[in-house]
């Protein structure tokens, strides 16, 4: 069975990232015992440790993403679905069921799917995917923080914190900011 989730929908900077984690149903109790749950309810250190353990237990793990340009062109909803679809289409195995976090399934997939609202709270497979995606995205943003030191990305991972909004006002936006998001909209060369 596969669980699919995305992270980074609400960020102002960077891609939206999705992961798919394929696990045997018999391994669900192991995931629960490890403390696998919605990534937002875990500390960064705990997520990193769990991500490693999830990769050990899983049959397969894949990550997909949609770029800032795709987010700005498609909108964040469609870009999130694209990232999830990209993750799933990278699988070399075919799960019997693909549980998708949210209200929508993915188009043009031959795998049986089920959308699950609040799936990261209800399914260990989806929760595992949320952890893997969050760790992968946070690592990417931390590496990009060196490229854009004025924006303190390592502290907020691109989300719209007061510090990030202040940095946007002071230093402007970068090529990895989402121009379709209101704090980053560019009008006549000015950030609005």
């Amino acid at each position: 069975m596969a669980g699919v989730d995305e992270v980074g929908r609400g960020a102002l900077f960077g891609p939206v990232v999705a992961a798919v984690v394929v696990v045997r149903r018999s391994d669900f109790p192991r995931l629960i015992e490890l403390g696998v749950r919605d990534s937002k309810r875990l500390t960064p250190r705990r997520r990193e440790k769990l991500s490693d353990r999830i990769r050990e237990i899983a049959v397969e793990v894949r990550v997909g993403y949609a770029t800032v340009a795709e987010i700005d062109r498609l909108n964040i909803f469609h870009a999130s679905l694209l990232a999830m679809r990209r993750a799933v289409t990278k699988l070399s195995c075919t799960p019997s069921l693909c549980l998708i976090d949210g209200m929508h399934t993915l188009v043009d997939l031959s795998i049986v799917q089920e959308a699950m609202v609040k799936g990261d709270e209800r399914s260990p497979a989806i929760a595992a995917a949320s952890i893997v995606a969050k760790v992968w995205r946070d690592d990417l943003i931390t590496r990009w923080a060196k490229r854009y030191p004025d924006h303190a990305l390592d502290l907020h991972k691109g989300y719209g914190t007061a510090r990030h909004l202040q940095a946007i006002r002071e230093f402007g936006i970068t090529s990895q900011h989402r121009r379709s998001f209101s704090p980053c909209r560019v009008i006549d060369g000015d950030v609005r």
Side-chain angles (χ1 to χ4, degrees):
M1 178 180 292
V4 184
D5 200 3
E6 54 68 32
V7 297
R9 275 181 78 143
L12 305 176
F13 177 99
V16 61
V17 174
V20 56
V21 174
V22 180
V23 292
R24 292 174 190 85
R25 288 177 201 245
S26 59
D27 286 327
F28 277 22
R30 284 178 69 192
L31 293 175
I32 293 166
E33 184 179 302
L34 285 172
V36 169
R37 59 180 185 260
D38 178 9
S39 65
K40 294 181 286 298
R41 298 176 57 205
L42 300 166
T43 66
R45 183 179 172 95
R46 185 75 181 126
R47 282 192 298 261
E48 288 174 17
K49 287 183 177 183
L50 284 172
S51 181
D52 290 340
R53 292 301 310 273
I54 289 164
R55 289 176 180 276
E56 292 169 6
I57 293 169
V59 173
E60 192 171 357
V61 174
R62 295 288 178 215
V63 173
Y65 62 89
T67 67
V68 168
E70 290 170 325
I71 293 167
D72 287 341
R73 188 178 78 246
L74 299 172
N75 76 36
I76 190 60
F77 169 72
H78 288 102
S80 296
L81 293 176
L82 176 62
M84 288 192 259
R85 187 177 186 291
R86 284 177 173 161
V88 172
T89 58
K90 289 180 181 180
L91 289 172
S92 61
C93 68
T94 304
S96 59
L97 177 63
C98 198
L99 298 174
I100 312 291
D101 185 49
M103 295 176 18
H104 303 276
T105 57
L106 308 175
V107 296
D108 298 326
L109 283 182
S110 58
I111 301 169
V112 177
Q113 303 172 63
E114 180 182 325
M116 185 177 285
V117 175
K118 295 189 184 277
D120 48 8
E121 296 174 12
R122 299 170 51 203
S123 164
I126 294 175
S130 81
I131 291 167
V132 169
K134 179 74 171 142
V135 168
W136 194 95
R137 186 181 187 282
D138 283 357
D139 182 59
L140 175 68
I141 302 303
T142 299
R143 284 183 277 127
W144 278 354
K146 295 176 181 97
R147 250 191 246 172
Y148 308 107
D150 295 332
H151 290 80
L153 296 165
D154 54 324
L155 300 178
H156 51 69
K157 306 301 186 265
Y159 286 88
T161 64
R163 183 161 186 178
H164 191 190
L165 294 173
Q166 182 61 36
I168 290 171
R169 284 190 292 274
E170 285 183 37
F171 305 108
I173 59 172
T174 71
S175 62
Q176 292 301 317
H177 276 94
R178 301 173 183 178
R179 287 168 168 77
S180 59
F181 283 42
S182 61
C184 302
R185 283 203 181 106
V186 178
I187 301 171
D188 297 328
D190 294 330
V191 177
R192 305 264 185 217

